[in-house]
Amino acid sequence: MPLRSEPALHLLLLVALCSVLYFPYLGSTPFFDKGEPREALAVQDIVQRGEWLVPLKRATDIPSKPPLLHWSAALVTKMTGSLNEVTIRFPSTFYAILGVLLVYWLGRKMFDGPTALLGGAILATSMIYQDQALNARVDMTLCFFVTAGLVLFYGIYRGYLENPLWLYVFYTVVGVGTLAKGPLSVVLTALVAGSFVLVERRWDMIRRFCFHPGVVLMLILATGWYVVAVIRGGEGFFDRQIVEENLSRFVGDAGHNHPVYYYAPYLFSQGMPWALFFPLLLWDVFRTGLRADDGRLYLKLWVLVMFVFLSISVGKRPVYLLPLYPALALLLAAWFYKADAGGNVRTIGYKAIACFTMLIGALLLIITTGALWNQDQGWFFAPIEALLKPKDRANAAALRNQLDDFGWTFTLVALIEAGLWFSLARSLWLGKMRTVAHQLLLVSFFNAFLGWKVVMPAIAQSKSYRDFMAKVNEIVKPNDKLFLYGPFNSDSVVFYRGSVIEWLNQPAELVAWKDSSANGYLIMPVQSLTDFPRAAGSLPPPLLESAGKGPEGDAPLVLVRAALR
């Protein structure tokens, strides 16, 4: 193949890979957690009220995140004419694909075409990256802009991007990145780039980057929107966006508080199936040290500096690790292309992982054999449901019901995947690591299918209010009185209604019921309905009751008629 055509083919392969992994599943689940509907309400506000600069939730509440994701989703909505799960999630998928292509470009400059191709594929198929590519949250947007900033920095630093305009592009990307999730974009980029310059002792680069006119451009882009938003939102906006979401999160005053070692297991679990080889990769990193290979130094610092910084922060969530996976993917790809060299430690490691993958294959084979024997696709959930917490037990029950509806497709896919894991074990035992990489890509395809066609839809269906609200919208006309009542997370209810629904602040005693005076409707949790007789006499039987039980799985809703004063 001519060398010039290789990059085009590789890029085409990566886009095709991402398209198959992401696009079929964009609309496979309704909104069912707290995060996606929260962002969706800001997009809805832009579309309905035309408030692009400072979009609000429910036309009154300031969102907890800057609006870059909201702007992107609103633009897609305007272009397509549809406001739904697909258009709101699409920006995350778009930024994810661009991030994969950036990793390919960086890998090609650092290593070669095949390594870069594998690095992009590893990133695209890592569990955390797939998940956030299909999630209407700000984390993938942040990951893309941090990745873009660090790729541009390295390209300028090494002279791959010689035109002086690239420095302005770099500062523009870093500045705009603050509109994804706040100053974290600047902090992560500066920490990694600064650490690299210090380790390399390139003092001239400090002058080149720190005293460039582009710094002013970056500051304007990074602070301009915040200044306008503070003027619009006042002290409440400043406290929510700047203090609570950034400073308080770092020192532990805004929730999600965890110990310094919290991220260690999540670094592995979020990187599956490729995380099987993280121990061997980390062994090589520690064995060779940071300065052993100039091409890998930047990637090692990228992973190490981000991991240390995020571990020091008291507020932690597993998804915060997302921006370090682009570098980790390239490091692992380079490791795979040297993994055939062997060595005692590697050989032992390969065989240990082979035993583990053999167990996974055996487990899948037992599951499929039991399904064929019992004619029950979800038979294996029954023994473990009693050991789970109530919330997880409900998810397991929903998944078991979904498998019954899914038919024999699940059994067939599980059987194929069992064969892949057995084949993977054989390749590992023989030390054929490039074959292992290709087999893991196939495993990722089937994992995506099972996850987004079976597991996630089952969990979503047990929690989402979408079907309930579709029926509510048939009964309650746009001009009818409709209020929310009682404690529950109502973001998805408001989104699926398509308009703001006010909370009813009247005491229960004032919500009377008379056939002749019923003039409105209430949406409330079932528990609130059962509390009514003690306070205000009985309400009529519900017109509707939701199958979904909300983000926490404990708040099924009802629609009732009421006389609203």
Side-chain angles (χ1 to χ4, degrees), residues 142 226 235 350 382 455 513 543 551:
L142 171 70
Y226 282 94
E235 184 178 347
Y350 298 161
V455 177
W513 163 253
L543 299 173

Side-chain angles (χ1 to χ4, degrees), residues 321-463:
L321 292 175
L322 181 64
L324 61 78
Y325 279 89
L328 201 53
L330 268 183
L331 279 173
L332 188 60
W335 178 87
F336 262 106
Y337 273 90
K338 287 189 175 181
D340 288 337
N344 292 332
V345 173
R346 283 189 176 183
T347 301
I348 294 172
Y350 298 161
K351 293 187 175 180
I353 299 172
C355 292
F356 180 74
T357 56
M358 183 73 74
L359 288 175
I360 295 176
L363 178 61
L364 288 170
L365 187 59
I366 292 171
I367 289 172
T368 53
T369 302
L372 292 170
W373 181 267
N374 296 330
Q375 304 292 303
D376 179 7
Q377 311 303 309
W379 70 272
F380 51 92
F381 282 100
I384 64 173
E385 282 182 15
L387 305 176
L388 299 176
K389 297 178 181 179
K391 180 178 177 180
D392 296 327
R393 193 180 307 132
N395 290 341
L399 180 55
R400 184 173 59 183
N401 294 334
Q402 177 77 2
L403 291 180
D404 291 337
D405 297 335
F406 206 70
W408 295 106
T409 305
F410 171 78
T411 301
L412 178 61
V413 172
L415 187 62
I416 294 173
E417 192 162 350
L420 281 174
W421 283 103
F422 283 128
S423 178
L424 184 65
R426 180 178 181 276
S427 299
L428 280 163
W429 197 267
L430 298 175
K432 297 180 178 180
M433 299 307 294
R434 296 183 192 181
T435 303
V436 167
H438 298 151
Q439 290 169 332
L440 279 177
L441 289 176
L442 288 175
V443 167
S444 297
F445 276 110
F446 288 102
N447 286 345
F449 178 83
L450 291 175
W452 292 102
K453 280 296 186 183
V454 181
V455 177
M456 295 305 296
I459 295 174
Q461 200 63 32
S462 69
K463 295 184 176 184

Side-chain angles (χ1 to χ4, degrees), residues 517-548:
S517 62
N519 62 347
Y521 300 85
L522 294 179
I523 294 175
M524 64 172 68
V526 171
Q527 183 59 46
S528 295
L529 180 64
T530 60
D531 290 343
F532 253 88
R534 294 195 294 268
S538 62
L539 281 174
L543 299 173
L544 293 173
E545 182 171 347
S546 70

Side-chain angles (χ1 to χ4, degrees), residues 3-270:
L3 187 60
R4 289 182 181 180
S5 65
E6 184 187 70
L9 176 61
H10 286 175
L11 292 175
L12 182 62
L13 289 173
L14 288 174
V15 171
L17 172 66
C18 293
S19 299
V20 172
L21 285 173
Y22 306 151
F23 288 129
Y25 310 117
L26 272 175
S28 62
T29 60
F31 294 143
F32 65 93
D33 62 3
K34 295 179 180 179
E36 287 192 299
R38 182 178 60 215
E39 310 304 338
L41 285 181
V43 180
Q44 191 178 65
D45 187 68
I46 295 175
V47 173
Q48 293 181 349
R49 294 199 308 126
E51 181 53 74
W52 287 82
L53 190 57
V54 187
L56 304 174
K57 289 168 47 181
R58 308 171 190 268
T60 56
D61 300 334
I62 299 172
S64 59
K65 301 294 188 294
L68 187 55
L69 173 66
H70 310 143
W71 290 343
S72 303
L75 183 61
V76 175
T77 297
K78 290 288 188 180
M79 294 173 62
T80 61
S82 299
L83 178 65
N84 53 36
E85 294 93 346
V86 173
T87 56
I88 294 175
R89 288 171 178 154
F90 181 83
S92 292
T93 300
F94 178 71
Y95 289 130
I97 295 174
L98 291 182
V100 168
L101 300 184
L102 282 173
V103 165
Y104 172 78
W105 183 89
L106 182 62
R108 195 170 183 87
K109 294 298 182 182
M110 286 183 170
F111 307 110
D112 53 39
T115 303
L117 178 63
L118 179 57
I122 289 174
L123 179 62
T125 53
S126 295
M127 187 176 75
I128 187 174
Y129 204 81
Q130 285 189 68
D131 179 65
Q132 292 307 305
L134 296 168
N135 204 308
R137 302 288 294 271
V138 300
D139 298 282
M140 183 56 76
T141 308
L142 171 70
C143 179
F144 166 73
F145 279 92
V146 171
T147 301
L150 290 173
V151 168
L152 285 168
F153 171 82
Y154 190 82
I156 296 167
Y157 182 93
R158 290 298 182 209
Y160 303 134
L161 304 174
E162 298 179 351
N163 193 307
L165 291 177
W166 282 113
L167 267 167
Y168 289 98
V169 175
F170 166 73
Y171 286 112
T172 299
V173 166
V174 175
V176 172
T178 60
L179 298 181
K181 203 176 180 180
L184 187 61
S185 173
V186 177
V187 172
L188 292 178
T189 304
L191 284 174
V192 174
S195 299
F196 183 61
V197 169
L198 291 176
V199 171
E200 291 261 288
R201 298 180 181 180
R202 290 291 305 274
W203 316 123
D204 59 310
M205 287 295 171
I206 295 179
R207 293 192 301 271
R208 183 181 181 188
F209 278 90
C210 292
F211 299 100
H212 190 272
V215 175
V216 178
L217 174 63
M218 179 190 71
L219 292 175
I220 293 173
L221 292 171
T223 61
W225 177 83
Y226 282 94
V227 171
V228 174
V230 167
I231 294 173
R232 289 271 193 96
E235 184 178 347
F237 171 86
F238 184 83
D239 290 342
R240 182 74 183 274
Q241 283 267 6
I242 305 299
V243 178
E244 182 179 337
E245 286 294 321
N246 293 279
L247 301 178
S248 296
R249 184 80 68 195
F250 188 81
V251 300
D253 293 334
H256 304 299
N257 296 355
H258 297 285
V260 69
Y261 54 82
Y262 173 80
Y263 281 131
Y266 284 105
L267 180 68
F268 291 87
S269 63
Q270 298 289 310

